[in-house]
Amino acid sequence: MALILHIGHQGSHQYLARVFDGKLLVGAPTVHPRIEDAILAYGANAPEVFPQAAAFSIWYGGWTIGCVARTQMDTDAAQLANRLLVLAAVVR
């Protein structure tokens, strides 16, 4: 099962991360200093907090990099965050 990880910029060094199952918010929103940290937090904590999630569809600023396996979120968080930032900058 894949959940949706939505990361939004809230201010200087503040990124709000929320997880959705479809349109339903699940879990409590969290704040992180970087996009990479949000991805790492949900990749590392997913087995405990979201045991049913093997992957997350990751969104930032209205753009997605698609469905990413939890294990890849743990190992490639910096690259995934960079892809989100580049995509958001280029498409605007």
Side-chain angles (χ1 to χ4, degrees):
M1 172 184 200
L3 296 175
I4 299 167
L5 173 59
H6 183 273
I7 303 167
H9 187 242
Q10 298 296 302
S12 180
H13 301 290
Q14 290 187 335
Y15 293 90
L16 179 66
R18 298 173 293 167
V19 175
F20 294 89
D21 185 357
K23 293 186 178 187
L24 179 65
L25 178 67
V26 292
T30 57
V31 177
H32 305 272
R34 300 178 305 167
I35 295 172
E36 176 182 350
D37 296 326
I39 293 170
L40 278 171
Y42 285 91
N45 292 329
E48 294 82 22
V49 181
F50 304 106
Q52 75 279 17
F56 286 87
S57 177
I58 304 176
W59 287 77
Y60 171 71
W63 310 105
T64 184
I65 54 172
C67 197
V68 179
R70 201 176 33 77
T71 54
Q72 186 180 1
M73 292 169 66
D74 287 340
T75 58
D76 299 333
Q79 291 173 323
L80 295 169
N82 189 48
R83 284 176 48 200
L84 284 166
L85 287 171
V86 169
L87 181 62
V90 169
V91 178
R92 288 183 196 218

